[in-house]
Amino acid sequence: MAHLELQDLKQSYGTHVVVNGVSFRVETGSIACLLGPSGCGKTTLLRCIAGFEPVAAGEIHLEGKLVSRAGYALPPEKRRIGMVFQDYALFPHLTIAGNIAFGLGATPNNERAARVTQLLETVGLAGQGEKFPHELSGGQQQRVSLARALAPKPELILLDEPFSNLDVDLRERLSHEVREILKREGMTAVLVTHDQNEAFAMADEIGVMDEGRIQQWDTPYNLYHQPANRFVADFVGQGVFLPGQVISAHEVEVELGTLHSALPLECSQGCMACGKECGVDVLLRPDDIIHDDRSTLQAEVVHKAFRGADILYSLRLVSGVRVLSLVPSHHNHALGEKIGIRLDVDHVVAFKTPTRQFASGSGPKVVPVTFRA
Amino acid sequence: MYEMDWSSIPGALPLLFKGLLITFEVTITAIVVGIVWGTVLAITRIGPNKILAKLAAGYVNLFRSVPLVMVILWFYLIVPQGLKAIFGDDIGDIRLTSALVAFALFEAAYYSEIIRAGIQSVPRGQVSAGLALGMTQGQTMRLILLPQAFRNMTPLLLTQAIILFQDTSLVYVIGLSDFFGTAYKVGDRDGRLVELLLFAGAIYFVISFSASLLVKRLQARFVK
């Protein structure tokens, strides 16, 4: 039995459909993440799970119990959920200990104190219970917020963009810490974020959302390496699409050379035989393009972003198409310089090129063509 | 040139002090009842019951749209007529009571607006956080929203209290001997109205101004 299960959930504000038929299940002890750009419906979905929003259609089950359907919603205070908010939402008029103990209700005093002490230790804030929220840093406040949510031993922890108010370094460290704490406590959790690094650091499984739908529900590894559609390929990780022609069942030709790969179903005949003017777009990640001084393939540096250990180069090919390349940072080249590159693609991700056959309004139908080398 | 003569003041001090006590009584009653009743009005007004919310809004708008002097007179002249019809003519001196009631009900309208703004100034996330921790709507209001709202609006509530303290002088229209009324009567009796009114003004100024300095210091402490 799934711990949390959503079945064909829909929610709209007026005529604007925010959540459009979302189904997924999260097993006990698993950390799931809803990842998507702002306005994709992920926060609304989280608020539906928490019980703050009614649902227009579909069902939400928590521990096998129906908690939301059209016309019925178990109030949030009866759901046994813990929630961690973007702005922490600590109670400024209570001490840290008071905040953490807040949800413990009728627990006897000594047990309550013991639980607070234990949680302060868990989140690395032992001995700070008497301080007030404003005396703590952002990262510490978010830890208190987590401790407060954990205190009543909820069925499910919901985290709404929990690290987006923190600076980058802290964000990364805290997301690992929070994952460890949740795992240690055996909690099931759902995280909402627009930051894929946060999602990768925290989650066992990620649902990429766009326009109110789950585009792909998968492990972080698969999202990056086997995106189900163009949106996921674009949103997760960096990369560019390079136009290519399918030559045979095993080969795709792009400007940088021929990629050898397994059988693509849609285009197995090759583009010449197929007759449709479509071709494919091949996804190239920055790590697929290797800088190699000995290579005869040359590309011009048009932009560079120094990142410490490496440099992310934006390179212009002869045809004018730009690609990205991640290069160790001691290979420091100036803008305008021509550098040698070669392809090192472990597996090919390609989508059929949208053509004029598709009506402009409906958007291109995306057919994923994933094949491995 | 008018010759100032302050000699009637020392003898009248006990009387003036009694008047000052009446002033404080009206002020403090109006503050306490006004805040309690104002809180009820504010919560009703932002509450889920639309009919009660409309009634509360109507109450607040009515009292905020009529002059205080008129409200004082209503409660002195009109309401007692109703009471007399029920309890007979023997209802004694109702000047103080009617002033207390008038001020409390009038100030509640102003306090409710301050409190409503105070509650609404607390971020919505605080309510979500309370509910997520298993608190009911009522507990969330009592344990999370109101403590923060009152903390945020203490300076405003105190400022309103200072205005109220000055406004209590309006009870002279029903002949109640508060501080101002007493000063007026003593001045009238001794033919020293100018001196008494200047003296009363000075006392009002000293009390109000010191109180407002105190509020400023409080405010500085709250805005950390």
Side-chain angles (χ1 to χ4, degrees):
Chain A
M1 184 181 68
H3 197 93
L4 171 72
E5 185 167 9
L6 274 71
Q7 292 167 356
D8 201 22
L9 204 74
K10 291 193 175 89
Q11 167 66 330
S12 46
Y13 298 128
T15 55
H16 179 58
V17 180
V18 188
V19 177
N20 191 7
V22 167
S23 305
F24 65 81
R25 43 199 296 165
V26 182
E27 302 299 328
T28 305
S30 180
I31 300 175
C33 173
L34 297 167
L35 173 68
S38 43
C40 73
K42 57 191 192 298
T43 296
T44 303
L45 200 52
L46 196 77
R47 292 181 61 80
C48 288
I49 298 171
F52 295 130
E53 299 268 349
V55 305
E59 292 181 354
I60 301 175
H61 296 262
L62 188 55
E63 286 266 30
K65 196 176 135 198
L66 177 74
V67 292
S68 280
R69 63 172 158 71
Y72 168 78
L74 187 69
E77 65 266 26
K78 300 217 171 101
R79 292 196 177 196
R80 295 189 36 75
I81 44 155
M83 198 150 174
V84 177
F85 299 87
Q86 181 176 1
D87 61 353
Y88 326 130
L90 294 179
F91 306 132
H93 60 299
L94 300 177
T95 60
I96 301 310
N99 266 279
I100 296 175
F102 194 83
L104 291 176
T107 318
N109 277 343
N110 52 342
E111 270 177 50
R112 178 195 292 245
R115 179 82 176 134
V116 170
T117 311
Q118 178 214 338
L119 280 164
L120 279 171
E121 218 155 277
T122 304
V123 297
L125 289 170
Q128 313 244 38
E130 291 315 305
K131 289 191 179 167
F132 279 89
H134 71 265
E135 295 174 280
L136 300 184
S137 70
Q140 290 173 322
Q141 289 190 39
Q142 197 54 296
R143 277 181 251 212
V144 174
S145 172
L146 177 66
R148 182 180 69 177
L150 288 171
K153 302 195 169 141
E155 303 276 3
L156 179 69
I157 290 269
L158 302 175
L159 305 106
D160 184 9
E161 306 253 3
F163 310 116
S164 57
N165 282 355
L166 304 173
D167 60 60
V168 181
D169 278 354
L170 192 59
R171 198 181 295 180
E172 202 175 320
R173 212 178 69 217
L174 203 58
S175 50
H176 284 107
E177 272 182 40
V178 168
R179 180 182 162 86
E180 268 175 42
I181 293 169
L182 289 173
K183 287 291 175 193
R184 213 182 311 146
E185 301 267 320
M187 289 301 312
T188 312
V190 178
L191 163 81
V192 153
T193 182
H194 62 269
D195 180 340
Q196 48 180 303
N197 293 324
E198 215 170 285
F200 289 166
M202 283 276 299
D204 299 311
E205 45 195 339
I206 297 173
V208 178
M209 277 191 80
D210 187 42
E211 296 186 332
R213 292 172 184 278
I214 302 267
Q215 303 291 328
Q216 187 176 357
W217 186 276
D218 220 323
T219 60
Y221 184 91
N222 285 350
L223 285 180
Y224 188 83
H225 291 289
Q226 289 175 275
N229 59 37
R230 218 173 256 273
F231 176 80
V232 176
D234 217 25
F235 189 74
V236 176
Q238 281 176 303
V240 289
F241 287 108
L242 212 54
Q245 294 285 317
V246 177
I247 300 172
S248 74
H250 307 282
E251 289 162 305
V252 186
E253 188 178 38
V254 293
E255 194 182 344
L256 294 170
T258 304
L259 300 168
H260 298 269
S261 64
L263 185 79
L265 278 175
E266 292 292 321
C267 304
S268 55
Q269 301 161 294
C271 286
M272 305 306 279
C274 167
K276 288 182 201 159
E277 286 182 39
C278 61
V280 290
D281 284 338
V282 178
L283 173 67
L284 289 179
R285 300 287 193 195
D287 49 316
D288 290 334
I289 295 172
I290 309 284
H291 168 45
D292 185 349
D293 285 326
R294 287 163 303 179
S295 172
T296 50
L297 253 173
Q298 298 277 309
E300 185 191 342
V301 177
V302 287
H303 187 263
K304 60 192 270 195
F306 182 71
R307 299 172 154 204
D310 41 47
I311 298 176
L312 183 67
Y313 283 106
S314 183
L315 304 168
R316 183 159 52 214
L317 306 181
V318 181
S319 66
V321 175
R322 291 185 184 198
V323 293
L324 297 171
S325 176
L326 200 59
V327 176
S329 79
H330 55 270
H331 291 277
N332 194 5
H333 296 282
L335 293 183
E337 206 178 316
K338 294 238 161 120
I339 62 172
I341 52 170
R342 67 181 161 81
L343 277 179
D344 181 17
V345 181
D346 176 61
H347 58 272
V348 174
V349 176
F351 301 101
K352 275 178 95 167
T353 308
T355 64
R356 271 169 257 114
Q357 301 169 24
F358 301 106
S360 57
S362 65
K365 188 173 168 236
V366 172
V367 181
V369 188
T370 306
F371 35 123
R372 290 174 172 283
Chain B
M1 174 82 193
Y2 184 80
E3 290 267 332
M4 290 287 180
D5 178 1
W6 304 94
S7 62
S8 63
I9 292 176
L13 277 181
L15 216 56
L16 286 168
F17 186 70
K18 257 179 78 182
L20 193 59
L21 287 184
I22 298 280
T23 294
F24 280 130
E25 190 180 346
V26 176
T27 307
I28 289 165
T29 310
I31 291 173
V32 173
V33 179
I35 287 180
V36 172
W37 178 223
T39 306
V40 174
L41 285 170
I43 293 174
T44 311
R45 220 180 147 179
I46 56 181
N49 189 322
K50 293 283 167 265
I51 299 167
L52 287 180
K54 279 255 158 45
L55 285 175
Y59 176 99
V60 171
N61 289 331
L62 172 68
F63 276 100
R64 277 163 54 92
S65 309
V66 290
L68 175 54
V69 150
M70 274 180 56
V71 177
I72 296 169
L73 283 172
W74 284 352
F75 278 89
Y76 180 58
L77 298 174
I78 303 170
V79 178
Q81 296 306 320
L83 292 179
K84 275 180 193 166
I86 302 167
F87 299 108
D89 280 344
D90 188 26
I91 53 171
D93 183 4
I94 55 144
R95 278 182 296 184
L96 180 59
T97 317
S98 70
L100 289 176
V101 173
F103 270 96
L105 295 185
F106 185 85
E107 288 302 319
Y110 282 84
Y111 276 123
S112 98
E113 285 296 273
I114 295 174
I115 293 162
R116 183 165 70 107
I119 293 172
Q120 285 169 342
S121 76
V122 179
R124 297 291 305 159
Q126 294 278 315
V127 179
S128 304
L131 295 176
L133 285 166
M135 295 290 134
T136 62
Q137 296 271 359
Q139 286 171 316
T140 306
M141 176 60 82
R142 195 160 46 81
L143 299 172
I144 298 173
L145 286 187
L146 286 182
Q148 289 184 55
F150 274 102
R151 209 174 77 146
N152 292 346
M153 66 202 176
T154 304
L156 267 179
L157 291 175
L158 291 176
T159 306
Q160 181 65 24
I162 295 169
I163 297 169
L164 168 61
F165 168 71
Q166 295 161 23
D167 284 352
T168 53
S169 58
L170 288 172
V171 296
Y172 91 99
V173 298
I174 58 170
L176 183 63
S177 295
D178 72 326
F179 183 61
F180 177 76
T182 308
Y184 193 93
K185 280 174 196 162
V186 170
D188 211 26
R189 182 194 68 194
D190 298 351
R192 287 289 158 208
L193 200 52
V194 174
E195 288 84 345
L196 261 297
L197 289 187
L198 282 175
F199 174 73
I203 298 293
Y204 274 111
F205 175 81
V206 167
I207 294 176
S208 300
F209 190 65
S210 340
S212 70
L213 285 183
L214 209 75
V215 173
K216 260 201 192 125
R217 277 185 51 186
L218 265 176
Q219 211 158 9
R221 266 193 49 199
F222 276 124
V223 186
K224 264 192 278 208

